Amino acid sequence: VCRIAWRFQASDQRRCSRTAFFQHAYGQLAQWLFEHHKAIPEVELPDPDPVKLEEQFIGLLDKVAGLQPLDAKSRAPRVLIMLDGLDEIARLDLAFCRRPLELSRENVVWLCAGRAEAGLETLFTQERCRHVFENGLPPMSEDDIRAMLLEGMGRLKYELLALDLESAPQ
């Protein structure tokens, strides 16, 4: 399995673009196809033209769709593309958010995450794709929130923990 992960974040203009994603995804996928499947004769450099780069990536997805199992007992090699923060790029480039649906191929799985806003709720309907969490993510418990806060506090967490009081057993 080739795993390609990308997180869009609107505050990071260097990464929050289709071109940055396609450069990363093309490099990962080309290397995997070359090293593990000899499906391409050599790894070409990504084209600096964003339109041609996207075409290069689509060509590699087409190659993935044609990969066959190594033997009768196994399944074909797969590519898993994980996109987080689709709501972040949707603010800047809603058209990009259609690409996972348009670039659906055999042996390619797109796992997309983002808040249901900016038009995403109309693109990613239950009729078009499978929702892992049908009603959104379950709410966080108090313990989940505490753990998340403590993890992000660095050394300051020790000052906060010093304020904890032991509760009497019930």
Side-chain angles (χ1 to χ4, degrees):
V1 175
C2 174
R3 293 170 191 86
I4 301 170
W6 193 257
R7 181 165 191 269
F8 295 102
Q9 190 171 7
S11 63
D12 186 350
Q13 293 180 5
R14 185 177 51 84
R15 290 179 47 92
C16 196
S17 73
R18 71 171 58 209
T19 302
F21 164 71
F22 283 126
Q23 285 173 339
H24 171 74
Y26 172 80
Q28 296 286 109
L29 187 52
Q31 196 68 34
W32 180 75
L33 284 168
F34 176 74
E35 288 179 0
H36 298 287
H37 300 287
K38 307 298 181 227
I40 55 176
E42 63 182 318
V43 177
E44 294 178 22
L45 290 175
D47 199 294
D49 177 339
V51 173
K52 291 180 181 173
L53 171 64
E54 191 169 342
E55 290 170 2
Q56 282 181 306
F57 179 70
I58 292 169
L60 293 182
L61 288 181
D62 292 338
K63 291 197 182 303
V64 170
L67 292 176
Q68 299 298 315
L70 299 175
D71 58 57
K73 294 181 182 180
S74 64
R75 57 199 293 185
R78 290 188 167 211
V79 173
L80 172 61
I81 303 171
M82 297 167 282
L83 299 179
D84 186 19
L86 276 187
D87 55 302
E88 302 273 339
I89 192 166
R91 296 181 210 162
L92 307 168
D93 184 2
L94 181 60
F96 171 81
C97 297
R98 292 184 191 93
R99 297 311 277 154
L101 299 167
E102 296 164 352
L103 298 178
S104 178
R105 299 284 191 279
E106 194 72 28
N107 305 327
V108 177
V109 175
W110 292 83
L111 178 62
C112 301
R115 290 184 298 274
E117 59 186 42
L120 293 179
E121 64 281 2
T122 59
L123 281 176
F124 293 92
T125 62
Q126 299 227 357
E127 295 77 37
R128 288 180 134 168
C129 56
R130 181 172 171 244
H131 289 199
V132 177
F133 298 100
E134 291 181 20
N135 299 314
L137 287 173
M140 294 175 69
S141 70
E142 286 183 21
D143 289 340
D144 294 334
I145 294 169
R146 178 181 169 87
M148 185 179 74
L149 289 172
L150 288 174
E151 183 178 314
M153 292 182 70
R155 298 183 55 79
L156 289 175
K157 71 181 171 191
Y158 298 111
E159 292 179 38
L160 181 62
L161 290 171
L163 300 174
D164 278 358
L165 300 173
E166 292 289 326
S167 60
Q170 297 178 353

